[in-house]
Amino acid sequence: MNERVIEFLKKKEGYVSGDTIAQRLGISRQALWKHIQELKELGYDIVAVPHLGYRLESIPDRLFPFEIKSDLNTKFIGKKIHYYESVPSTMDVAMELGIKGAPEGTVVFAETQTKGKGRLGRIWFSPKYKGIYLSLILRPKFAPEKTPLLTLLSAVSICEAVKECLGLDAQIKWPNDILIQHKKAAGILTELNAEMDEVNFVIIGIGINVNNDKKSLISTAISLKEAKGEAVCRPALLQEILRKIEANYSALEHKGPKMIIDKWREYGITLGRRVKVYSHREHIEGEAVNIDMDGGLLIRKDSGITVKVMAGDVVHCR
Ligand code: BTN
């Protein structure tokens, strides 16, 4: 019911009497008052003036599931949302849900993580209310080797959403670092639960530095707030990312990987560069010449031999 009260108040510009709200929602004045108190506790700024009624002044910068679901307009992503103030890692929650059979499109997000996981065993710094920390469960019908495509797809979706919501140009460093002004703004961690030749589910973990202050970030990182020069509305950005992932995922399913790879090329800044990759305990150095249809990076070594890497840490040499 809290959701319906908020939806109602959002549609009204000025004050609306308690009687009108209670009548429209089919509840008593007393029940309405209780809902208003609960909403205030959640951070909704609702002003009450005698004889005039209630007015919604502002909504809190929180990723409440009902706020994210409203106007989301997706078919399956975000239909089920698990929201936490704090968890060790949204990846672990999503993994448990996936094992229990959670449907495709289930999302887990948290306002902070106490043990946020980055790639290659690193820690993902997850300060409260500053970032977006989400894990999405997908159940693609393709072979496990193709899952790196989902990482690329997610990276492209983040760039598209950042451009659309904020007008900022983001780039992708292979495979999945999102850079703005050459500094890292977001990262993606993909975990797979699979049999030999079949994917059970994939978890796409996305961490974005949204409203972090410059001084709280290391020198190689940037937040969207810093890049934009003003605070960013996290719920709107999160919604757009979910919409873009769904649209790109459907395109991948129906039209194959070419469109995703082509889009990735638009945002990617690794191709054509000399790179060093540390992959499977091996250093590979050469020119990044292309990206394969399964998302692998093709590197031409100085010997002239071209090798493909599917995962690893890339350093752009020049
Ligand atoms: C990277 O190292 O670039 C990947 C970072 C991924 C961080 C996200 S935040 C949400 C999800 N939960 C985690 O513990 N990690 C991912």
Side-chain angles (χ1 to χ4, degrees), residues 32-91:
L32 174 65
W33 185 84
K34 204 174 130 260
H35 291 303
I36 298 275
Q37 299 317 306
E38 281 169 7
L39 287 163
K40 281 182 171 179
E41 265 164 42
L42 290 174
Y44 288 88
D45 187 5
I46 300 168
V47 182
V49 174
H51 308 300
L52 283 177
Y54 297 103
R55 191 163 77 105
L56 179 63
E57 287 277 314
S58 67
I59 62 171
D61 181 38
R62 295 287 179 274
L63 305 175
F64 295 139
F66 73 88
E67 289 283 5
I68 301 298
K69 279 185 189 174
S70 98
D71 305 331
L72 184 60
N73 294 327
T74 51
K75 289 202 176 74
F76 65 98
I77 291 186
K79 290 285 168 208
K80 281 241 179 289
I81 295 178
H82 296 255
Y83 169 75
Y84 299 88
E85 274 282 299
S86 175
V87 280
S89 162
T90 56
M91 297 307 276

Short mmCIF file of all heavy atoms in Angstrom, two decimals, residues 32-91:
data_model
loop_
_atom_site.label_atom_id
_atom_site.label_comp_id
_atom_site.label_asym_id
_atom_site.label_seq_id
_atom_site.Cartn_x
_atom_site.Cartn_y
_atom_site.Cartn_z
N LEU A 32 -4.10 5.65 6.24
CA LEU A 32 -3.30 6.54 5.39
C LEU A 32 -2.21 7.22 6.22
O LEU A 32 -1.04 7.26 5.83
CB LEU A 32 -4.19 7.60 4.73
CG LEU A 32 -3.41 8.66 3.95
CD1 LEU A 32 -2.69 8.03 2.74
CD2 LEU A 32 -4.32 9.80 3.49
N TRP A 33 -2.60 7.71 7.39
CA TRP A 33 -1.64 8.39 8.26
C TRP A 33 -0.47 7.45 8.60
O TRP A 33 0.68 7.85 8.56
CB TRP A 33 -2.36 8.85 9.54
CG TRP A 33 -1.47 9.67 10.41
CD1 TRP A 33 -1.23 11.01 10.32
CD2 TRP A 33 -0.67 9.20 11.52
NE1 TRP A 33 -0.33 11.41 11.29
CE2 TRP A 33 0.02 10.30 12.04
CE3 TRP A 33 -0.49 7.95 12.11
CZ2 TRP A 33 0.90 10.21 13.12
CZ3 TRP A 33 0.39 7.85 13.19
CH2 TRP A 33 1.07 8.97 13.68
N LYS A 34 -0.83 6.20 8.87
CA LYS A 34 0.21 5.20 9.21
C LYS A 34 1.17 5.00 8.01
O LYS A 34 2.39 4.96 8.17
CB LYS A 34 -0.46 3.87 9.58
CG LYS A 34 0.41 3.00 10.45
CD LYS A 34 -0.35 1.77 10.92
CE LYS A 34 0.46 0.52 10.66
NZ LYS A 34 0.13 -0.26 9.50
N HIS A 35 0.60 4.91 6.83
CA HIS A 35 1.45 4.73 5.64
C HIS A 35 2.35 5.96 5.43
O HIS A 35 3.52 5.81 5.08
CB HIS A 35 0.60 4.51 4.38
CG HIS A 35 -0.10 3.18 4.39
ND1 HIS A 35 0.59 1.99 4.50
CD2 HIS A 35 -1.41 2.85 4.30
CE1 HIS A 35 -0.29 0.99 4.49
NE2 HIS A 35 -1.50 1.49 4.38
N ILE A 36 1.79 7.13 5.67
CA ILE A 36 2.58 8.36 5.48
C ILE A 36 3.76 8.35 6.46
O ILE A 36 4.90 8.67 6.08
CB ILE A 36 1.71 9.63 5.70
CG1 ILE A 36 0.58 9.69 4.67
CG2 ILE A 36 2.56 10.90 5.72
CD1 ILE A 36 0.88 10.31 3.33
N GLN A 37 3.52 7.93 7.70
CA GLN A 37 4.62 7.88 8.68
C GLN A 37 5.68 6.89 8.23
O GLN A 37 6.88 7.17 8.31
CB GLN A 37 4.12 7.47 10.09
CG GLN A 37 3.10 8.40 10.71
CD GLN A 37 3.44 9.86 10.52
OE1 GLN A 37 4.52 10.32 10.86
NE2 GLN A 37 2.51 10.61 9.92
N GLU A 38 5.24 5.74 7.74
CA GLU A 38 6.22 4.72 7.29
C GLU A 38 7.05 5.26 6.12
O GLU A 38 8.26 5.06 6.06
CB GLU A 38 5.48 3.45 6.84
CG GLU A 38 5.04 2.58 8.02
CD GLU A 38 4.08 1.47 7.60
OE1 GLU A 38 3.85 1.28 6.38
OE2 GLU A 38 3.53 0.81 8.50
N LEU A 39 6.38 5.96 5.21
CA LEU A 39 7.10 6.50 4.05
C LEU A 39 8.11 7.56 4.48
O LEU A 39 9.21 7.63 3.95
CB LEU A 39 6.10 7.07 3.03
CG LEU A 39 5.32 5.99 2.27
CD1 LEU A 39 4.09 6.57 1.59
CD2 LEU A 39 6.22 5.32 1.23
N LYS A 40 7.69 8.37 5.46
CA LYS A 40 8.62 9.40 5.97
C LYS A 40 9.87 8.74 6.55
O LYS A 40 10.97 9.21 6.37
CB LYS A 40 7.94 10.26 7.02
CG LYS A 40 7.02 11.31 6.43
CD LYS A 40 6.44 12.14 7.55
CE LYS A 40 5.69 13.34 7.03
NZ LYS A 40 5.12 14.13 8.13
N GLU A 41 9.62 7.63 7.27
CA GLU A 41 10.76 6.91 7.86
C GLU A 41 11.70 6.38 6.78
O GLU A 41 12.90 6.27 6.98
CB GLU A 41 10.28 5.77 8.74
CG GLU A 41 10.19 6.18 10.19
CD GLU A 41 9.36 5.23 11.02
OE1 GLU A 41 9.52 4.00 10.83
OE2 GLU A 41 8.56 5.71 11.84
N LEU A 42 11.14 6.04 5.62
CA LEU A 42 11.98 5.55 4.51
C LEU A 42 12.72 6.70 3.81
O LEU A 42 13.55 6.47 2.94
CB LEU A 42 11.13 4.81 3.48
CG LEU A 42 10.56 3.45 3.92
CD1 LEU A 42 9.61 2.91 2.86
CD2 LEU A 42 11.68 2.45 4.17
N GLY A 43 12.39 7.94 4.17
CA GLY A 43 13.11 9.09 3.60
C GLY A 43 12.29 9.92 2.62
O GLY A 43 12.81 10.87 2.04
N TYR A 44 11.02 9.56 2.42
CA TYR A 44 10.17 10.37 1.54
C TYR A 44 9.80 11.65 2.28
O TYR A 44 9.36 11.59 3.43
CB TYR A 44 8.89 9.61 1.14
CG TYR A 44 9.18 8.50 0.18
CD1 TYR A 44 9.53 7.23 0.64
CD2 TYR A 44 9.15 8.71 -1.20
CE1 TYR A 44 9.83 6.21 -0.25
CE2 TYR A 44 9.44 7.69 -2.09
CZ TYR A 44 9.78 6.44 -1.60
OH TYR A 44 10.08 5.44 -2.48
N ASP A 45 10.03 12.78 1.63
CA ASP A 45 9.72 14.05 2.27
C ASP A 45 8.27 14.42 1.91
O ASP A 45 8.00 14.93 0.82
CB ASP A 45 10.72 15.11 1.77
CG ASP A 45 10.57 16.42 2.51
OD1 ASP A 45 9.76 16.46 3.46
OD2 ASP A 45 11.25 17.39 2.14
N ILE A 46 7.36 14.12 2.83
CA ILE A 46 5.93 14.39 2.59
C ILE A 46 5.49 15.48 3.56
O ILE A 46 5.61 15.31 4.78
CB ILE A 46 5.09 13.12 2.78
CG1 ILE A 46 5.55 12.03 1.80
CG2 ILE A 46 3.60 13.41 2.57
CD1 ILE A 46 5.01 10.65 2.09
N VAL A 47 5.04 16.59 3.00
CA VAL A 47 4.62 17.71 3.84
C VAL A 47 3.12 17.59 4.10
O VAL A 47 2.36 17.33 3.16
CB VAL A 47 4.93 19.05 3.12
CG1 VAL A 47 4.54 20.22 4.01
CG2 VAL A 47 6.38 19.12 2.74
N ALA A 48 2.72 17.81 5.36
CA ALA A 48 1.29 17.78 5.69
C ALA A 48 0.89 19.15 6.21
O ALA A 48 1.51 19.67 7.14
CB ALA A 48 1.04 16.72 6.76
N VAL A 49 -0.10 19.77 5.57
CA VAL A 49 -0.57 21.09 6.00
C VAL A 49 -2.06 20.99 6.33
O VAL A 49 -2.85 20.51 5.48
CB VAL A 49 -0.31 22.15 4.89
CG1 VAL A 49 -0.93 23.49 5.27
CG2 VAL A 49 1.17 22.29 4.60
N PRO A 50 -2.46 21.44 7.54
CA PRO A 50 -3.88 21.35 7.90
C PRO A 50 -4.76 22.06 6.86
O PRO A 50 -4.36 23.10 6.32
CB PRO A 50 -3.94 22.09 9.25
CG PRO A 50 -2.54 22.08 9.77
CD PRO A 50 -1.62 22.01 8.60
N HIS A 51 -5.87 21.50 6.55
CA HIS A 51 -6.86 21.99 5.57
C HIS A 51 -6.41 21.85 4.11
O HIS A 51 -7.22 22.00 3.21
CB HIS A 51 -7.27 23.45 5.83
CG HIS A 51 -7.70 23.67 7.25
ND1 HIS A 51 -8.76 23.00 7.80
CD2 HIS A 51 -7.15 24.43 8.23
CE1 HIS A 51 -8.88 23.36 9.08
NE2 HIS A 51 -7.90 24.22 9.36
N LEU A 52 -5.13 21.63 3.87
CA LEU A 52 -4.68 21.47 2.48
C LEU A 52 -4.42 20.00 2.14
O LEU A 52 -4.75 19.52 1.08
CB LEU A 52 -3.39 22.26 2.24
CG LEU A 52 -3.53 23.77 2.06
CD1 LEU A 52 -2.16 24.42 1.91
CD2 LEU A 52 -4.40 24.07 0.84
N GLY A 53 -3.78 19.32 3.08
CA GLY A 53 -3.51 17.89 2.86
C GLY A 53 -2.02 17.60 2.74
O GLY A 53 -1.18 18.25 3.37
N TYR A 54 -1.70 16.63 1.87
CA TYR A 54 -0.33 16.14 1.77
C TYR A 54 0.30 16.53 0.43
O TYR A 54 -0.40 16.61 -0.60
CB TYR A 54 -0.30 14.62 1.88
CG TYR A 54 -0.78 14.08 3.20
CD1 TYR A 54 -2.05 13.53 3.32
CD2 TYR A 54 0.03 14.13 4.33
CE1 TYR A 54 -2.50 13.02 4.53
CE2 TYR A 54 -0.41 13.61 5.54
CZ TYR A 54 -1.67 13.06 5.63
OH TYR A 54 -2.11 12.56 6.83
N ARG A 55 1.61 16.71 0.47
CA ARG A 55 2.33 16.97 -0.79
C ARG A 55 3.70 16.28 -0.72
O ARG A 55 4.38 16.36 0.31
CB ARG A 55 2.54 18.47 -0.99
CG ARG A 55 3.04 18.82 -2.38
CD ARG A 55 2.83 20.29 -2.64
NE ARG A 55 3.84 21.07 -1.95
CZ ARG A 55 4.86 21.64 -2.55
NH1 ARG A 55 5.00 21.55 -3.84
NH2 ARG A 55 5.74 22.33 -1.85
N LEU A 56 4.06 15.62 -1.83
CA LEU A 56 5.36 14.94 -1.87
C LEU A 56 6.41 15.95 -2.34
O LEU A 56 6.35 16.47 -3.45
CB LEU A 56 5.29 13.76 -2.86
CG LEU A 56 6.56 12.95 -3.06
CD1 LEU A 56 7.00 12.27 -1.76
CD2 LEU A 56 6.36 11.90 -4.16
N GLU A 57 7.35 16.24 -1.44
CA GLU A 57 8.39 17.24 -1.77
C GLU A 57 9.56 16.60 -2.50
O GLU A 57 10.05 17.12 -3.48
CB GLU A 57 8.94 17.86 -0.47
CG GLU A 57 8.00 18.81 0.19
CD GLU A 57 8.07 20.21 -0.42
OE1 GLU A 57 9.19 20.69 -0.62
OE2 GLU A 57 7.01 20.79 -0.69
N SER A 58 10.01 15.47 -1.98
CA SER A 58 11.14 14.80 -2.63
C SER A 58 11.17 13.33 -2.27
O SER A 58 10.60 12.92 -1.25
CB SER A 58 12.47 15.45 -2.22
OG SER A 58 12.69 15.20 -0.85
N ILE A 59 11.82 12.56 -3.15
CA ILE A 59 11.92 11.13 -2.86
C ILE A 59 13.38 10.83 -2.48
O ILE A 59 14.29 11.54 -2.92
CB ILE A 59 11.45 10.25 -4.05
CG1 ILE A 59 12.31 10.50 -5.29
CG2 ILE A 59 10.01 10.51 -4.38
CD1 ILE A 59 12.02 9.51 -6.40
N PRO A 60 13.61 9.83 -1.65
CA PRO A 60 14.99 9.56 -1.22
C PRO A 60 15.82 8.90 -2.32
O PRO A 60 15.25 8.25 -3.21
CB PRO A 60 14.81 8.60 -0.04
CG PRO A 60 13.52 7.91 -0.30
CD PRO A 60 12.66 8.87 -1.07
N ASP A 61 17.10 9.07 -2.27
CA ASP A 61 18.00 8.44 -3.24
C ASP A 61 18.28 7.00 -2.78
O ASP A 61 19.35 6.69 -2.28
CB ASP A 61 19.29 9.24 -3.36
CG ASP A 61 20.23 8.61 -4.39
OD1 ASP A 61 19.73 8.12 -5.41
OD2 ASP A 61 21.46 8.59 -4.15
N ARG A 62 17.27 6.17 -2.91
CA ARG A 62 17.39 4.77 -2.51
C ARG A 62 16.92 3.90 -3.66
O ARG A 62 16.06 4.31 -4.44
CB ARG A 62 16.51 4.46 -1.29
CG ARG A 62 16.90 5.18 -0.04
CD ARG A 62 18.17 4.61 0.58
NE ARG A 62 18.53 5.36 1.77
CZ ARG A 62 19.24 6.48 1.78
NH1 ARG A 62 19.69 7.00 0.64
NH2 ARG A 62 19.52 7.10 2.90
N LEU A 63 17.45 2.67 -3.70
CA LEU A 63 17.10 1.77 -4.81
C LEU A 63 15.94 0.86 -4.42
O LEU A 63 16.02 -0.35 -4.60
CB LEU A 63 18.34 0.97 -5.21
CG LEU A 63 19.57 1.82 -5.56
CD1 LEU A 63 20.79 0.92 -5.83
CD2 LEU A 63 19.31 2.71 -6.76
N PHE A 64 14.89 1.44 -3.86
CA PHE A 64 13.74 0.62 -3.43
C PHE A 64 13.16 -0.13 -4.63
O PHE A 64 12.89 0.48 -5.68
CB PHE A 64 12.66 1.49 -2.81
CG PHE A 64 13.06 2.17 -1.53
CD1 PHE A 64 12.70 3.48 -1.28
CD2 PHE A 64 13.81 1.49 -0.57
CE1 PHE A 64 13.07 4.11 -0.10
CE2 PHE A 64 14.18 2.11 0.61
CZ PHE A 64 13.81 3.43 0.85
N PRO A 65 12.93 -1.44 -4.46
CA PRO A 65 12.42 -2.23 -5.59
C PRO A 65 11.18 -1.64 -6.25
O PRO A 65 11.06 -1.63 -7.46
CB PRO A 65 12.13 -3.59 -4.96
CG PRO A 65 13.08 -3.68 -3.84
CD PRO A 65 13.25 -2.29 -3.29
N PHE A 66 10.24 -1.10 -5.46
CA PHE A 66 9.02 -0.61 -6.12
C PHE A 66 9.29 0.64 -6.95
O PHE A 66 8.62 0.89 -7.94
CB PHE A 66 7.86 -0.43 -5.12
CG PHE A 66 7.97 0.75 -4.19
CD1 PHE A 66 7.49 1.99 -4.58
CD2 PHE A 66 8.53 0.61 -2.94
CE1 PHE A 66 7.57 3.08 -3.72
CE2 PHE A 66 8.62 1.70 -2.08
CZ PHE A 66 8.14 2.93 -2.46
N GLU A 67 10.31 1.41 -6.55
CA GLU A 67 10.67 2.59 -7.36
C GLU A 67 11.32 2.13 -8.67
O GLU A 67 11.08 2.68 -9.73
CB GLU A 67 11.68 3.48 -6.61
CG GLU A 67 11.10 4.23 -5.43
CD GLU A 67 10.26 5.45 -5.84
OE1 GLU A 67 10.05 5.67 -7.04
OE2 GLU A 67 9.79 6.16 -4.93
N ILE A 68 12.18 1.11 -8.54
CA ILE A 68 12.88 0.61 -9.74
C ILE A 68 11.88 -0.05 -10.69
O ILE A 68 11.95 0.13 -11.90
CB ILE A 68 13.99 -0.41 -9.33
CG1 ILE A 68 15.01 0.25 -8.38
CG2 ILE A 68 14.69 -0.99 -10.56
CD1 ILE A 68 15.77 1.41 -8.94
N LYS A 69 10.91 -0.77 -10.11
CA LYS A 69 9.95 -1.48 -10.97
C LYS A 69 8.99 -0.53 -11.67
O LYS A 69 8.50 -0.83 -12.76
CB LYS A 69 9.13 -2.46 -10.12
CG LYS A 69 9.86 -3.76 -9.86
CD LYS A 69 8.94 -4.71 -9.12
CE LYS A 69 9.68 -5.92 -8.64
NZ LYS A 69 8.86 -6.79 -7.82
N SER A 70 8.72 0.62 -11.04
CA SER A 70 7.72 1.50 -11.64
C SER A 70 8.30 2.13 -12.91
O SER A 70 9.44 2.62 -12.90
CB SER A 70 7.24 2.56 -10.64
OG SER A 70 7.89 3.77 -10.82
N ASP A 71 7.59 2.06 -14.00
CA ASP A 71 8.03 2.55 -15.33
C ASP A 71 9.24 1.79 -15.89
O ASP A 71 9.91 2.31 -16.77
CB ASP A 71 8.44 4.03 -15.32
CG ASP A 71 7.36 4.93 -14.78
OD1 ASP A 71 6.19 4.55 -14.94
OD2 ASP A 71 7.69 5.98 -14.22
N LEU A 72 9.55 0.63 -15.35
CA LEU A 72 10.72 -0.08 -15.87
C LEU A 72 10.42 -0.62 -17.27
O LEU A 72 11.28 -0.54 -18.17
CB LEU A 72 11.11 -1.22 -14.91
CG LEU A 72 12.36 -2.01 -15.24
CD1 LEU A 72 13.59 -1.11 -15.28
CD2 LEU A 72 12.60 -3.13 -14.22
N ASN A 73 9.23 -1.14 -17.43
CA ASN A 73 8.78 -1.62 -18.75
C ASN A 73 9.68 -2.67 -19.40
O ASN A 73 9.95 -2.61 -20.59
CB ASN A 73 8.62 -0.44 -19.73
CG ASN A 73 7.51 0.47 -19.30
OD1 ASN A 73 6.53 0.01 -18.71
ND2 ASN A 73 7.67 1.77 -19.53
N THR A 74 10.17 -3.59 -18.60
CA THR A 74 10.93 -4.70 -19.17
C THR A 74 10.02 -5.94 -19.16
O THR A 74 9.02 -5.96 -18.44
CB THR A 74 12.19 -5.00 -18.34
OG1 THR A 74 11.81 -5.12 -16.98
CG2 THR A 74 13.23 -3.91 -18.50
N LYS A 75 10.44 -6.94 -19.93
CA LYS A 75 9.61 -8.16 -19.98
C LYS A 75 9.97 -9.13 -18.85
O LYS A 75 9.12 -9.78 -18.28
CB LYS A 75 9.78 -8.85 -21.33
CG LYS A 75 9.14 -8.08 -22.46
CD LYS A 75 8.86 -9.02 -23.64
CE LYS A 75 8.13 -8.30 -24.75
NZ LYS A 75 9.01 -7.37 -25.50
N PHE A 76 11.28 -9.25 -18.58
CA PHE A 76 11.64 -10.21 -17.54
C PHE A 76 12.74 -9.71 -16.59
O PHE A 76 12.81 -10.15 -15.46
CB PHE A 76 12.02 -11.58 -18.15
CG PHE A 76 13.26 -11.53 -19.00
CD1 PHE A 76 14.48 -11.91 -18.47
CD2 PHE A 76 13.21 -11.10 -20.31
CE1 PHE A 76 15.64 -11.88 -19.24
CE2 PHE A 76 14.37 -11.05 -21.08
CZ PHE A 76 15.58 -11.43 -20.55
N ILE A 77 13.57 -8.79 -17.03
CA ILE A 77 14.64 -8.34 -16.13
C ILE A 77 14.07 -7.37 -15.09
O ILE A 77 13.44 -6.38 -15.44
CB ILE A 77 15.81 -7.72 -16.93
CG1 ILE A 77 16.51 -8.82 -17.72
CG2 ILE A 77 16.80 -7.00 -15.99
CD1 ILE A 77 17.76 -8.42 -18.44
N GLY A 78 14.28 -7.70 -13.84
CA GLY A 78 13.79 -6.84 -12.76
C GLY A 78 12.37 -7.14 -12.32
O GLY A 78 11.80 -6.41 -11.52
N LYS A 79 11.79 -8.21 -12.86
CA LYS A 79 10.44 -8.57 -12.37
C LYS A 79 10.55 -9.05 -10.92
O LYS A 79 9.65 -8.87 -10.13
CB LYS A 79 9.82 -9.69 -13.23
CG LYS A 79 9.44 -9.24 -14.62
CD LYS A 79 8.18 -8.39 -14.61
CE LYS A 79 8.00 -7.70 -15.95
NZ LYS A 79 7.28 -6.46 -15.90
N LYS A 80 11.68 -9.71 -10.62
CA LYS A 80 11.94 -10.13 -9.23
C LYS A 80 13.18 -9.37 -8.76
O LYS A 80 14.24 -9.47 -9.37
CB LYS A 80 12.25 -11.62 -9.17
CG LYS A 80 11.05 -12.52 -9.24
CD LYS A 80 10.96 -13.36 -7.95
CE LYS A 80 9.76 -14.28 -7.92
NZ LYS A 80 8.50 -13.68 -7.76
N ILE A 81 13.01 -8.59 -7.69
CA ILE A 81 14.14 -7.82 -7.16
C ILE A 81 14.35 -8.18 -5.69
O ILE A 81 13.40 -8.19 -4.91
CB ILE A 81 13.88 -6.30 -7.30
CG1 ILE A 81 13.79 -5.90 -8.78
CG2 ILE A 81 14.98 -5.51 -6.60
CD1 ILE A 81 13.49 -4.43 -9.02
N HIS A 82 15.59 -8.46 -5.35
CA HIS A 82 15.94 -8.69 -3.94
C HIS A 82 16.82 -7.51 -3.53
O HIS A 82 17.88 -7.30 -4.12
CB HIS A 82 16.71 -10.01 -3.78
CG HIS A 82 15.89 -11.21 -4.15
ND1 HIS A 82 15.35 -12.06 -3.22
CD2 HIS A 82 15.48 -11.66 -5.36
CE1 HIS A 82 14.65 -13.00 -3.84
NE2 HIS A 82 14.72 -12.78 -5.14
N TYR A 83 16.36 -6.77 -2.56
CA TYR A 83 17.02 -5.51 -2.18
C TYR A 83 17.54 -5.61 -0.74
O TYR A 83 16.82 -6.06 0.14
CB TYR A 83 16.01 -4.38 -2.31
CG TYR A 83 16.45 -3.06 -1.73
CD1 TYR A 83 17.38 -2.27 -2.38
CD2 TYR A 83 15.90 -2.59 -0.52
CE1 TYR A 83 17.77 -1.04 -1.85
CE2 TYR A 83 16.28 -1.36 0.01
CZ TYR A 83 17.22 -0.60 -0.66
OH TYR A 83 17.59 0.62 -0.13
N TYR A 84 18.77 -5.16 -0.53
CA TYR A 84 19.37 -5.20 0.80
C TYR A 84 20.03 -3.87 1.12
O TYR A 84 20.62 -3.24 0.24
CB TYR A 84 20.46 -6.28 0.88
CG TYR A 84 19.93 -7.68 0.63
CD1 TYR A 84 19.86 -8.18 -0.67
CD2 TYR A 84 19.50 -8.46 1.69
CE1 TYR A 84 19.34 -9.45 -0.90
CE2 TYR A 84 19.00 -9.74 1.46
CZ TYR A 84 18.91 -10.22 0.17
OH TYR A 84 18.41 -11.47 -0.06
N GLU A 85 19.95 -3.48 2.38
CA GLU A 85 20.72 -2.31 2.83
C GLU A 85 22.20 -2.68 2.79
O GLU A 85 23.02 -1.90 2.35
CB GLU A 85 20.34 -1.97 4.28
CG GLU A 85 19.14 -1.07 4.45
CD GLU A 85 19.47 0.39 4.15
OE1 GLU A 85 20.31 0.98 4.84
OE2 GLU A 85 18.87 0.92 3.19
N SER A 86 22.51 -3.88 3.28
CA SER A 86 23.91 -4.30 3.34
C SER A 86 24.01 -5.81 3.19
O SER A 86 23.23 -6.54 3.81
CB SER A 86 24.50 -3.86 4.68
OG SER A 86 25.80 -4.36 4.82
N VAL A 87 24.92 -6.26 2.36
CA VAL A 87 25.22 -7.69 2.26
C VAL A 87 26.74 -7.84 2.09
O VAL A 87 27.40 -6.89 1.69
CB VAL A 87 24.57 -8.38 1.02
CG1 VAL A 87 23.13 -8.70 1.23
CG2 VAL A 87 24.78 -7.59 -0.25
N PRO A 88 27.27 -9.03 2.37
CA PRO A 88 28.70 -9.20 2.06
C PRO A 88 28.93 -8.97 0.56
O PRO A 88 29.75 -8.15 0.17
CB PRO A 88 28.99 -10.63 2.50
CG PRO A 88 27.97 -10.90 3.57
CD PRO A 88 26.73 -10.15 3.15
N SER A 89 28.22 -9.71 -0.29
CA SER A 89 28.35 -9.52 -1.74
C SER A 89 27.05 -9.94 -2.42
O SER A 89 26.51 -11.01 -2.12
CB SER A 89 29.50 -10.38 -2.27
OG SER A 89 29.39 -10.52 -3.67
N THR A 90 26.58 -9.12 -3.35
CA THR A 90 25.34 -9.49 -4.07
C THR A 90 25.57 -10.74 -4.92
O THR A 90 24.62 -11.45 -5.27
CB THR A 90 24.86 -8.33 -4.98
OG1 THR A 90 25.91 -7.98 -5.87
CG2 THR A 90 24.43 -7.12 -4.17
N MET A 91 26.85 -11.03 -5.25
CA MET A 91 27.14 -12.22 -6.06
C MET A 91 26.76 -13.49 -5.30
O MET A 91 26.19 -14.41 -5.88
CB MET A 91 28.64 -12.31 -6.42
CG MET A 91 29.17 -11.19 -7.26
SD MET A 91 28.26 -10.88 -8.78
CE MET A 91 28.96 -12.04 -9.92
#
